[in-house]
Every structure is written in C-alpha cells, then in structure tokens.
Amino acid sequence: MTATVDAAAARRASGGPRPETGPATANRRISQIPYLPGLDGLRALAVVAVMVYHANSSWLAGGYLGVEVFFVISGYLITLLLIAEHEREGSISLVGFWMRRARRLLPALFTMMLLLAIWVSLFEQDALGKLRGDVIAGALYGSNWYQVWIGAGYSAGNDFAPLRHLWSLAVEEQFYIVWPLVMLALVRSGTRRIAGTARWLFLGAVAITVIVAVLATSGPQQTPELTPGAYFSIGDRAISTPDFLYLSTITRAGGLLLGSAFAMVWRPTAVMRGPLRRRGFVFDVVAVVALVGLAAMCVKVGFDPSLGVHPLLFRGGLFLTGLATLAVIAAVTHRGALTGRLLSLPVLVWIGTRSYGLYLYHWPIYQIIRDVAANQLRIHEFVLAMIATCIVTELSYRWIETPIREGRIGELLRGRTARRRRPLTHTQRQWAFGGAFAAVALSVFAVGSMATAELKQNEVQRSIAEGEDFVCDTLVDLDCDGVADLDEQGDPLGAADDPADATVSDDGSSDGVAAVEADAPDEASGDPAADAAPDPAPDADGDATSDPAATDAVIVPASTEPPPPEEPAPELLAVGDSVMKGAAANLDELGITVDAVESRSWGDGLDYVRTLAERDRLPRDLVIHLGTNSPISQQQMDAMMEAVADVPQVVILSVVIPTHPGVESANNAMIYSTINKYDNVELLDWAGFAPLCPSAECYASDGIHLRPEGRAYYAEQIRSILDL
C-alpha cells in the first residue's frame, strides 16, 4: 500500500532533463517511469474496497482483496524503479533506496502510533499492555509474523486491536528490504536480459499458489481442541493455518512476484515504441473484464475463519486477483488506452495519492468508534469514520509526509514557508511553545504508561475465565466434582462396554477383560474398572475368543465383585458455548449442571448430545444454547431433534450475533421453524429477550457475551422457562 510514484518521483526515475542524445541515452531511458495518474486511480479503488470491508464485511465480503492489488502494484513499481535507476546510473544505490522508503513510510507510521498510544493511555487503559507488543512489532515491520505467533490475526475479533492492519505494511517493507538485494544481483547481466527472469518469478507465484492450496483447510475455525485440523504446532504453540496463509510474507509473496515479473517485460516507454502502441482498445477490453472479475470476487469471496473461509481464496483466488490487476496495470500504463484516463478522475487521484495515509489511519479510527475488532460499523458510524480519516490523512499528508519526503521539514520547524518570511509574533510563539510542551508531555506519559502497563485479557476473555470453575464435562467427570472419573483406558467409568466388541492386544489385555499370565495368582487386580469386567464373549463355536499370538496368556475374569454404582445423569443440564460459559456461575446457583465450551459449534454440541444419548446420560431437562459460532444446517437441526427425542423437556435458545447478522438471521429462522414440530421442545427466544435487559451494562463490547448484569438476566430467563 506504499509504492507511490508522483510526478517528482517520475522525473527522478527518468533522470530529469539530459542534454545528451542518441541510442545510448535512449537505451538508458527505456525503463523511465512517466507519471501515471491512472495507477493512483487503481490504488483508490483498492483502498476504498479495503476500507469498506474493514467497516462492515457484509457490505463487501471480499474487499480485503484490495490488499493483493496493492501488493501487485508495489511489486511492479518498485521493480521498475530499480531497473530504471540501474539504466540511468549504471548501478543501484541500496542505501538511497532504503532511505527514500524510510522517508516515505516511517514519519506517518510513527505519528499514527504515537497519537494512538496517547489515546489509549487516556481512554483505553486496559488495552495498553497488548498495544505494547503491537507497537514494537509495527515499528520493526514484523506485525504479520507477530500476529501469526500470538494468534491475533483477523480470526481473533474480541480485542481492541488498533494496529492489526499493519500486517500488510510489514509484508511490503520486508519485500523492500530483500528485493533490492535480489535486483542488484539480477541487473549485473544487463537490464535487457532481465526479461528472462520474469518467467521464473511467475513460476514462483504459481508455486506459492499451489502450496497455499495444499495447506488450506476448509470449514469454520474454532479452538485447537475443537478443530485441530485448522492448526499446526511449533513446540507447544498452536498456530492458526488460515491466519498463517493470510498473513505470512511467504504465502503472500505471490502478488509481489507477479508485479515484479510484469515490470521486467512491460515498461511503459518501451511499449509505446513497439507494435502494441496501436492496440489500446484491446487493452481496454481486457481491463474491463479484469475489473468486473475483481468486483465479482470482492462481492463473493469472503474471509472469516470463524465461519469458514471462501474456498476460492486460498485455492487460486489470490493468484486470480493478481492476474486481473496486471491486466488493469497494462491498460493504465498504455497511453493509447482509455482506462488510464477513466481512472485519472480528480477524486480518484486524490484518494490514490493519499492511499497510504488512508490505509494507515482508517483502522485505528474504526477501532476507536467500535471498540472491538469484530464489531461491524453502521452507516452513520462509517460516514463519521470516513470524515475523520480524510481529515487526519490530509493533515498528515500536507504537514508530515510531504515535507519530510521532499526534505522541507527544517523549513517547517523554523516556522517559515515559501510564501511567508515574517517571524512569529509573541502570542504565536507562546501558543507554539505551549502546544509543543503539551505534545511532549502527553507523548512521555503515553510511552511510559504503555511500557509499564499490565497485560490484561479482553472483556470477553475475562467473562469466559470467570465461568471456568462452574462448568463440567459430564462425559469425563460424572459427578462434576472437578476430578475426571476414568478407567485405565481413559474412558468414563459410567460408559458400559460391549463385551462382544472386546479386542485383545499383543500383551493379552483387552477392553472389558483383564489378562493375566497363566502362573499369576487368581486375585482381584485392585483396579475397579478391571475388576468389573465381564467374561469374554464366545466366538461362533462357543469358545472364548483370545489372541492367537498371546499363547502364554489366559483370559480370566478379574473379579466377581459387583461393579461400582454408576453416577446418575444430572437432572438439569445446560449445553452451550462461551456465552453460556460466562453465566455458568449463575446457572450453577439454580442447580443446573453446565457443560459449556468456548467456540463450540452446533455440530460439536450435536456430537456431545449424541454421546450422552448413547451412554444413557441424557437429563430430565436439557437447555441448549448453540449456533453463535457457525451456521446451522437443516441436517444438523434434525439430527439434534432426533438425539433429544427421549428427553422430557428441551429448551433451545435463539442466538444473538451482531457481528454476523446474516448468520444470526439464518440460524434463528432454522430454530424457529423447527421447534414447533416437537412436543418436548420449547423456545427461549434469547434474540427477543436480550434487548430487554434492564441494565445498560448487560453486554460486553461485542454485544454477544455477558457482563455480570447480563449473566443474572440470562439465568433468570432460563429459570423462568424451566419453572425452577
């Protein structure tokens, strides 16, 4: 999002006016970069798509693909600049390139992070501890790897996360550090021969696409325990596969490579000297098709790991986005095509030249307005955010970015401009001194507060943690005393095994029977599970089955003592996800056993209820609150109804998901339409009751999880419908 070439940069790339003429001069200038306002227009479309997506993903589900467009543009322009510099100067100045990038990127970045630190230290103190790591990672341009490591990518939506967008700037900056070194080695053979390298870069992008497709997972992502296939491990740390594929420099290098490869074969000045100069109409047609394709993908190809990433994204979607971007770049840089002129509208050029600042400032402003990353902005909030973003961006562009990039910061610090030479008045100096003192004081306070801040969990995490001591997995802790009731095989004591299914292992042991050596004393083993084992089942000939390999082993009953009494199933059981888990203490006070698991989907809950039914541990009254974490299919709903058919009273709660209103509407429609078909099932319309909570402090910032007042209200609704 940072490769900006304005008119001055174009003049520098072309070397400016030169007195010499002739073939040698023409060859040196074949890669010169004229100012192309149409590229600013393309940037404008990309950054607007990203900002709309970040505001509310339901408005433009695939708007994030604008980032891939920026990657391709950056690869193209940076490579073209380096080639032009080598042709013009005979070498590439690494220090000069890196210094230009630093002057272009760092001032606005540091300004944004400092302003943000001041805001958070004054108004969001609980987030200071987490902000510290984000600021360090952002300053070092390692945000993408930091987010992958700590699991704070876009799939983690309950934080106040004002620097999460810096991942893409980190990818680009890492490219800016490495790529000039690569180009320095490539151009030694001459820039005319460099075109042959383009095919290898293109194949590299194809290879990345294939690798990403192989590594991609399907379906919703929950916790590592519930969806282990969506994670891989580095030591003891579980790494989200979707986050890694989306955020890592390696897997997102495809667009940069495509842009770089295109720069080696498509140089605007050279194109207009060849036969393609008369084919502008053809490029316009291709560009229109590409723009329509990009628009369609921005509408359809959503990215939300918690609900399931669109299958096209990691299976060629990013690559197709890159190819479509190249088609538009080809038309924009062709002087005979209309595409460049259409994308050169003044409003698009204004947005495009400020695209870096717009991207940099919009996300923190969004977070200040909505507080939690996953919350969707409403229309009036989006309008307010855009006004604030444009104002801050323009101030930054005029007073910070442009002066530093053009080397005029000293002039500004002296309080002079090209049009004004008079010294400041006494009042003006007082205001300037007071403002400077306040800015320094606030900056010192913010940095000090952030450096010493305690690392705190977000509000939702605290709510879930407070319910931890009041939940019980009734499949492994039958009496809910906090101790798992397991036998030697790790199975619950209450689960009766079928002797006919017993199998004997190589050492003579089996499920449901105890194996002892022939010369061992015939006595109880001391293991209640083994002592309770029945005789082995006879085979077809009436003989007891045994393992032929275990010739020295004899299968005998371990004990004739009766089995220990099985813990009765709880009479009142509530099955849910993190919303219910937060209110577990309140439900426990009502005598309700709570089995709630963070990120549990309807399908996970269905598996759990089926297992209860198989083990004859279904309760008299069952409360189910699921569907917050994933869509519910008709098949899953019907299967749940079948599993609870023998429960006298079943209460199912509707769901509240303001972060995904489409999923909320579909899941509740499924619940409403199904419940009336079953006599033993009742509806607790939580979606209808939730807004009626008498306290303004019922819900956490995400509008889903519960604060203490909300937990009490939630438990009261369940108590009422169960008539406790």
Side-chain angles (χ1 to χ4, degrees):
M1 299 219 164
T2 57
T4 301
V5 181
D6 53 16
R11 286 193 295 272
R12 287 195 299 271
S14 63
R18 289 179 179 269
E20 67 269 28
T21 59
T25 302
N27 289 339
R28 286 200 302 270
R29 303 175 71 178
I30 196 172
S31 297
Q32 65 179 334
I33 308 175
Y35 174 54
L36 300 167
L39 280 181
D40 284 329
L42 182 56
R43 285 194 198 91
L45 297 180
V47 77
V48 168
V50 172
M51 291 191 297
V52 171
Y53 168 77
H54 282 167
N56 192 320
S57 60
S58 66
W59 296 343
L60 197 63
Y64 63 89
L65 291 172
V67 173
E68 190 70 7
V69 174
F70 271 100
F71 285 166
V72 177
I73 295 174
S74 293
Y76 177 75
L77 287 177
I78 293 303
T79 302
L80 204 56
L81 283 170
L82 293 170
I83 293 174
E85 180 179 354
H86 185 270
E87 290 183 345
R88 185 177 68 250
E89 308 293 343
S91 64
I92 294 175
S93 172
L94 296 177
V95 174
F97 174 85
W98 288 328
M99 287 299 296
R100 289 192 298 272
R101 288 291 89 197
R103 287 199 303 269
R104 174 72 182 95
L105 304 176
L106 296 182
L109 174 67
F110 289 158
T111 299
M112 182 273 292
M113 291 198 297
L114 182 59
L115 292 174
L116 180 64
I118 292 172
W119 173 274
V120 175
S121 66
L122 294 175
F123 303 107
E124 293 280 355
Q125 290 90 347
D126 286 350
L128 273 174
K130 287 190 175 182
L131 183 66
R132 179 173 55 238
D134 290 332
V135 167
I136 295 172
L140 298 176
Y141 278 104
S143 292
N144 62 324
W145 293 111
Y146 177 72
Q147 291 175 25
V148 168
W149 181 250
I150 68 171
Y154 284 103
S155 59
N158 291 322
D159 284 320
F160 174 76
L163 295 180
R164 184 167 293 172
H165 66 314
L166 294 187
W167 75 269
S168 66
L169 302 183
V171 171
E172 288 200 28
E173 186 64 15
Q174 292 159 30
F175 171 74
Y176 297 153
I177 292 173
V178 174
W179 192 241
L181 298 173
V182 175
M183 288 298 298
L184 190 63
L186 293 177
V187 297
R188 288 181 178 178
S189 60
T191 55
R192 287 191 173 275
R193 296 182 179 179
I194 203 172
T197 307
R199 70 172 67 94
W200 299 109
L201 298 181
F202 181 83
L203 290 175
V206 172
I208 290 172
T209 301
V210 172
I211 292 171
V212 168
V214 170
L215 295 177
T217 60
S218 59
Q221 179 188 11
Q222 300 165 48
T223 61
E225 294 77 18
L226 293 175
T227 54
Y231 295 84
F232 63 93
S233 298
I234 298 179
D236 294 332
R237 185 174 293 271
I239 305 296
S240 164
T241 299
D243 282 352
F244 175 80
L245 296 180
Y246 189 79
L247 299 174
S248 80
T249 309
I250 300 169
T251 54
R252 294 308 299 269
L256 295 164
L257 292 180
L258 285 176
S260 300
F262 196 57
M264 295 176 178
V265 297
W266 187 268
R267 309 178 199 179
T269 301
V271 168
M272 298 312 295
R273 296 180 182 180
L276 292 178
R277 67 181 180 275
R278 295 188 179 91
R279 302 295 179 86
F281 177 74
V282 175
F283 288 99
D284 283 330
V285 172
V286 173
V288 169
V289 173
L291 287 171
V292 170
L294 285 173
M297 293 182 67
C298 284
V299 171
K300 294 293 185 181
V301 184
F303 175 77
D304 191 332
S306 63
L307 297 179
V309 177
H310 193 286
L312 179 60
L313 173 61
F314 293 138
R315 293 179 172 87
L318 294 173
F319 185 74
L320 291 175
T321 301
L323 293 181
T325 304
L326 292 182
V328 180
I329 290 175
V332 165
T333 55
H334 193 292
R335 297 179 189 176
L338 292 175
T339 304
R341 279 170 272 180
L342 292 175
L343 291 178
S344 299
L345 295 174
V347 64
L348 294 180
V349 172
W350 185 92
I351 295 172
T353 54
R354 291 153 178 80
S355 58
Y356 174 57
L358 289 169
Y359 183 81
L360 197 63
Y361 291 107
H362 86 280
W363 179 265
I365 290 173
Y366 284 6
Q367 296 312 100
I368 289 171
I369 292 174
R370 63 187 171 196
D371 196 42
V372 169
N375 286 350
Q376 310 281 31
L377 292 181
R378 292 167 289 181
I379 289 291
H380 70 279
E381 293 173 328
F382 176 64
V383 172
L384 174 63
M386 283 295 93
I387 293 173
T389 298
C390 289
I391 292 173
V392 174
T393 296
E394 184 64 18
L395 292 174
S396 174
Y397 183 79
R398 287 179 178 269
W399 298 101
I400 297 173
E401 298 172 55
T402 301
I404 292 177
R405 188 172 67 250
E406 296 180 355
R408 295 190 291 109
I409 191 66
E411 182 180 86
L412 289 178
L413 290 176
R414 290 191 299 271
R416 298 175 182 272
T417 66
R419 298 181 300 276
R420 177 178 178 180
R421 300 295 179 183
R422 291 179 298 175
L424 296 176
T425 65
H426 176 69
T427 301
Q428 289 173 328
R429 285 196 299 270
Q430 284 184 320
W431 277 102
F433 178 79
F437 178 81
V440 171
L442 284 173
S443 300
V444 171
F445 169 74
V447 173
S449 299
M450 185 170 58
T452 58
E454 178 186 355
L455 186 62
K456 295 183 178 180
Q457 293 180 318
N458 62 50
E459 187 177 26
V460 172
Q461 290 171 326
R462 292 196 299 271
S463 171
I464 296 171
E466 288 170 3
E468 189 67 44
D469 292 337
F470 300 93
V471 295
C472 166
D473 185 344
T474 59
L475 292 178
V476 298
D477 185 4
L478 305 184
D479 52 5
C480 290
D481 62 355
V483 180
D485 302 313
L486 306 174
D487 61 18
E488 288 183 342
Q489 286 74 39
D491 296 321
L493 284 177
D497 293 316
D498 183 2
D501 295 332
T503 57
V504 183
S505 63
D506 290 341
D507 63 358
S509 63
S510 66
D511 294 330
V513 290
V516 296
E517 296 298 328
D519 56 353
D522 185 12
E523 61 182 2
S525 67
D527 180 359
D531 293 346
D535 292 334
D539 59 19
D541 296 326
D543 299 325
T545 57
S546 63
D547 185 356
T551 55
D552 295 330
V554 178
I555 309 300
V556 298
S559 173
T560 57
E561 296 180 5
E566 180 183 337
E567 289 290 338
E571 292 191 354
L572 300 173
L573 176 63
V575 177
D577 51 28
S578 57
V579 178
M580 180 179 284
K581 188 173 183 179
N586 304 77
L587 297 176
D588 182 73
E589 291 179 358
L590 300 176
I592 301 174
T593 300
V594 180
D595 190 315
V597 178
E598 183 180 356
S599 295
R600 178 185 265 167
S601 67
W602 186 276
D604 298 322
L606 172 60
D607 292 340
Y608 172 74
V609 173
R610 277 174 165 170
T611 305
L612 288 177
E614 291 169 0
R615 297 182 178 179
D616 196 24
R617 292 191 57 77
L618 286 171
R620 180 197 69 203
D621 297 299
L622 177 63
V623 179
I624 299 175
H625 191 185
L626 298 167
T628 307
N629 296 297
S630 65
I632 307 171
S633 69
Q634 185 65 61
Q635 182 180 7
Q636 289 175 326
M637 176 61 74
D638 293 341
M640 181 69 81
M641 296 299 98
E642 180 181 351
V644 301
D646 294 331
V647 178
Q649 182 178 22
V650 180
V651 175
I652 297 182
L653 279 70
S654 58
V655 295
V656 175
I657 326 173
T659 53
H660 296 97
V663 177
E664 174 185 324
S665 177
N667 283 359
N668 284 340
M670 182 72 66
I671 293 171
Y672 298 152
S673 64
T674 302
I675 281 181
N676 292 334
K677 301 176 184 178
Y678 300 91
D679 294 335
N680 66 325
V681 182
E682 294 183 69
L683 169 69
L684 172 51
D685 190 12
W686 179 240
F689 280 109
L692 304 178
C693 185
S695 171
E697 298 295 322
C698 281
Y699 306 103
S701 300
D702 64 353
I704 300 175
H705 295 85
L706 305 170
R707 290 174 176 163
E709 296 87 347
R711 298 170 206 165
Y713 178 70
Y714 179 86
E716 174 60 23
Q717 305 312 308
I718 294 176
R719 184 202 65 77
S720 297
I721 199 168
L722 291 178
D723 195 23
L724 299 179

